[in-house]
Amino acid sequence: MSESASLRFGLPRFDPRDDQQIEAEIDDELTFHIEQATREFVEAGQSDDDAKVNALARFGDVDQVKAQCKRIALEERIMLQRINLVLMIVVLLAVAFVSVQMYVTQKHNTLALQAIVADLAGMKVAATQASRDGKVTILGAVSRPGLYPIPKVGDYTLADVLVDAGPSDRAFEVKLFRRVHGERTLFAQETISMLHEMDRLKEQIVDGDRVVVAPVLNYQPAQSTSHMGFVYVDGSILRPGAYALQAGGNMTVSMLIKAAGGLKHSPVQVQVTRFDETGNPQMIVDSLINRASDLNQSDVLLQPDDHVILSAAGEPK
Amino acid sequence: MARKKPPELLPGTLDLMILKTLAVGPNHGYGIARRIKQTSDDVLHVEEGSLYPALHRLAKRGCLDSEWRSSESNRRAKYYRLTRKGRTKLKAQTRNWAQLTTAIDKVLSARTAGKAATKGWA
């Protein structure tokens, strides 16, 4: 049974004896042989010593035979040891491979988790932005009263609402009403005499705000006569025309755009032309913007008689 | 040691002789050696020690079973017995041996004719 099994798998039969047992059995077997041979010679009439010598001579090299027999008995063990070694190496390699794989997977998972966390954070941001999504009502002395959506991204201040709606008077009073704990209350109030003063209106607009604009009649600007001159704005702008430059007013291009009601199109090419002492026009600004605040370095301080031309992209200049 | 060396055995011959001897019945190494010597009329002078590695190898391959038993002299001896596999091997090797010897015989008997032919050609 075990024989056929070992035959089938081509494996040597398992020898349960240990090394010393094997050696002892070989010794026993060979000794028996030499004893028998010696006895044979003695029975043939030889002396004990002669018989022993002859028996050994006929046997050959006892130690060599012993060694050969031992090697045969143990060869399977040596082979098993080799197989064990190979198996151990294979197992070690497998373990190493699995470890590396696990490490890589873990790393990958960690990265994926980080990505998910980042995504969630992004979604949270989006959610807060979405929560800013809402509408503001603007009423009163404006060109376009009504409901304005609050953009999802970026700032949206009281000044922005006014630019969108376009105040119809140079001087006006703006009131911002907001629901606080369910009750509509007056949240901010400002009187604007010069349009560029709108930069003061920095309140962030939230959903449900209501802005009411009232004209200030008979408004007497403190230095109404001390204006330095006019600048001119034309093109893709809500209220083109001449605007007075107040002394010490420091009006920039973006302020002028806001004062003139804001851009009609987006993007637009902004060109500012200034006349030098000899009356030659010099173009001091020429840039493409999406909104007034895009001007940055090109947001120069205006001087009397500057011309600001806004042309919608693609429109002939 | 100036001792006359016994004639070399062809490889596999010793295995064949062991298997054949054990086909008669179980025996120990010494018994096998004596039997081979008797049956071969002392022509095959096998160095008796060389029997044991061959026996062990055959046992390991499953051609032989071994068992410690008390011998005729009442001393414990290792007895070997043919297994089914050993019997099959014996048959196969006997057949091979017959084929080999016939072939060698043919070659050897053809040698004289070859010599004559060479003479004629020369």
Side-chain angles (χ1 to χ4, degrees), chain A residues 67-221:
Chain A
Q68 278 181 344
C69 289
K70 200 179 162 191
R71 205 179 312 130
I72 291 161
L74 293 180
E75 76 190 350
E76 78 193 28
R77 230 160 275 208
I78 292 161
M79 203 164 88
L80 275 177
Q81 276 167 2
R82 282 185 193 155
I83 290 170
N84 270 347
L85 191 72
V86 169
L87 277 180
M88 213 159 79
I89 290 167
V90 167
V91 167
L92 276 176
L93 284 177
V95 166
F97 178 75
V98 168
S99 308
V100 167
Q101 203 77 349
M102 267 170 69
Y103 174 75
V104 167
T105 312
Q106 204 172 17
K107 188 126 197 180
H108 177 260
N109 284 350
T110 311
L111 288 177
L113 201 67
Q114 281 170 359
I116 289 168
V117 168
D119 276 0
L120 283 176
M123 276 161 72
K124 205 171 163 192
V125 167
T128 47
Q129 283 174 354
S131 75
R132 286 207 306 128
D133 193 11
K135 286 196 163 69
V136 54
T137 316
I138 182 158
L139 303 164
V142 289
S143 309
R144 296 171 301 280
L147 267 177
Y148 284 83
I150 302 169
K152 281 184 182 152
V153 225
D155 286 347
Y156 196 63
T157 61
L158 187 52
D160 294 324
V161 187
L162 284 168
V163 167
D164 282 343
S168 39
D169 295 83
R170 289 280 171 97
F172 56 88
E173 184 191 55
V174 58
K175 286 178 178 173
L176 171 63
F177 295 94
R178 178 166 296 173
R179 263 186 210 287
V180 179
H181 305 304
E183 238 174 276
R184 199 181 288 283
T185 51
L186 182 60
F187 193 77
Q189 184 172 12
E190 285 280 357
T191 303
I192 304 295
S193 57
M194 280 299 294
L195 275 171
H196 65 263
E197 286 176 0
M198 285 200 334
D199 283 350
R200 295 209 314 259
L201 307 175
K202 287 196 163 68
E203 285 85 3
Q204 284 291 332
I205 294 300
V206 300
D207 184 33
D209 278 357
R210 180 177 291 174
V211 178
V212 179
V213 179
V216 175
L217 300 171
N218 308 317
Y219 177 72
Q220 296 292 317

